[in-house]
Amino acid sequence: MSVDFLGLIWLIFLLSAFLPMLHQKKIEGARLRLIRSFERKRGARLITLIHRQEALSFLGIPLSRYINIEDSEQLLRAIRLTPDDMPIDLVLHTPGGLVLAAEQIAHAILKHQGKVTVFVPHYAMSGGTLIALAADEIVMDENAVLGPVDPQLGQYPAASILQVLAQKPINEIDDHTVILADMARKAMKQVRESLTRLLAEKMDRARAEELATVLSEGRWTHDYPITVDELIEMGLPVKVGLPREIYQLMELYPQPAGRRPSVQYVPLPYGREDGTPVPSKGNK
């Protein structure tokens, strides 16, 4: 009896170790099939840059993922493997990340001869916005957002560091802050110039410089959500209406098992009791 019980424990242990791996392989296979199907439908290469930071944890401690050099290396390789005249579709879901990595990706997108379309199902903030602005077209969910591209130095916005110099006499400011302010000034200039180069491909130079200043000068907090309506008012090539496959792809980046979901609902579209659909706001 004790031997059988010990064997059962080992069986449970092996299953608990291998079942998550098999499940992950199944999800990865489903992602690749959906990506390939979407590529055939659109006649384009589909690339994803998705940071589901809420789905990562180590010993119960959430880990964050951001745009990094590895992302830029992989994305640039994908672009190199794409024929010059082939369109590229890029799914963006990210809080941002390294300016260097984001600028490398943005410039590679800008130089690609085929049409580049960026799909934003939820948000593409900071460096993600920089990448989106390099595309020929940005397709968003009606509630999705982009964000400001003002540089950050550590935990402080560059624009806020410069405010210290503007509001205090220089002899009351420590050397460390003066050095940070010099770095902040350079960082803001570099990001503004990079944005201007990207935007000048889509509008006249004067408007590009004006909009680059708006997005990089720190007039908002770094996590300020810029809505679709605001983006359109800015003259950016934004449209609403994501393909169904983009939502399906996002569902293949699931929340970690074992966590109680914060939001729950029956995942079905609802109609009336008699089966007729509920009219939308525009069809009342």
Side-chain angles (χ1 to χ4, degrees):
M1 179 68 72
S2 62
V3 174
D4 291 341
F5 182 70
L6 184 61
L8 180 61
I9 291 176
W10 272 107
L11 179 61
I12 293 172
F13 174 77
L14 291 173
L15 287 174
S16 64
F18 285 102
L19 284 178
M21 295 172 58
L22 294 175
H23 180 64
Q24 186 63 29
K25 287 291 183 183
K26 181 180 178 181
I27 290 177
E28 289 176 1
R31 289 176 190 162
L32 291 175
R33 288 192 296 273
L34 182 56
I35 287 173
R36 194 68 193 100
S37 172
F38 192 69
E39 287 181 332
R40 286 193 293 265
K41 176 181 176 180
R42 298 258 305 171
R45 177 187 287 279
L46 177 62
I47 306 171
T48 65
L49 182 57
I50 298 174
H51 293 139
R52 291 300 292 266
Q53 59 197 72
E54 65 272 21
L56 296 174
S57 65
F58 177 69
L59 300 179
I61 303 173
L63 299 177
S64 296
R65 291 190 60 191
Y66 300 95
I67 301 170
N68 57 29
I69 294 300
E70 182 180 358
D71 290 330
S72 65
E73 289 175 351
Q74 293 299 321
L75 214 150
L76 266 58
R77 181 174 184 270
I79 294 175
R80 285 197 303 271
L81 292 174
T82 306
D84 291 341
D85 59 347
M86 175 177 281
I88 289 177
D89 293 333
L90 174 62
V91 180
L92 269 181
H93 177 81
T94 179
L98 290 178
V99 174
L100 169 60
E103 287 194 355
Q104 283 184 304
I105 296 169
H107 292 148
I109 288 174
L110 191 65
K111 289 188 291 185
H112 185 69
Q113 296 177 16
K115 181 181 178 181
V116 179
T117 303
V118 161
F119 295 100
V120 183
H122 186 56
Y123 75 156
M125 306 297 283
S126 189
T129 297
L130 184 70
I131 293 170
L133 294 177
D136 299 296
E137 183 177 50
I138 307 170
V139 183
M140 303 174 65
D141 179 89
E142 64 178 347
N143 297 308
V145 296
L146 301 185
V149 196
D150 56 310
Q152 311 291 293
L153 296 183
Q155 59 181 323
Y156 301 116
S160 297
I161 295 173
L162 291 178
Q163 283 297 312
V164 176
L165 264 65
Q167 297 180 16
K168 294 182 68 175
I170 190 67
N171 59 349
E172 295 182 10
I173 304 174
D174 63 275
D175 292 346
H176 178 70
T177 303
V178 173
I179 293 170
L180 280 179
D182 180 60
M183 293 172 61
R185 188 179 294 107
K186 293 172 182 176
M188 293 185 68
K189 180 175 182 291
Q190 289 166 195
V191 170
R192 184 172 61 251
E193 290 176 349
S194 181
L195 278 171
T196 299
R197 285 194 297 271
L198 296 178
L199 294 169
E201 297 290 327
K202 303 166 180 59
M203 58 189 69
D204 65 82
R205 180 79 183 188
R207 177 55 182 159
E209 291 177 350
E210 179 185 354
L211 188 51
T213 299
V214 168
L215 292 172
S216 66
E217 68 181 357
R219 67 169 57 187
W220 303 296
T221 59
H222 195 58
D223 61 352
Y224 175 77
I226 305 177
T227 65
V228 170
D229 290 340
E230 289 177 286
L231 293 166
I232 292 174
E233 288 177 6
M234 292 177 183
L236 294 171
V238 173
K239 61 181 285 190
V240 174
L242 287 178
R244 173 176 51 87
E245 291 89 345
I246 302 300
Y247 296 111
Q248 292 174 336
L249 184 61
M250 291 300 297
E251 290 173 2
L252 294 175
Y253 289 80
Q255 301 293 336
R259 282 183 54 185
R260 181 183 62 81
S262 300
V263 177
Q264 286 186 294
Y265 59 95
V266 178
L268 294 172
Y270 280 164
R272 300 185 186 280
E273 294 284 334
D274 60 2
T276 60
V278 176
S280 62
K281 292 180 181 178
N283 297 317
K284 291 182 179 180

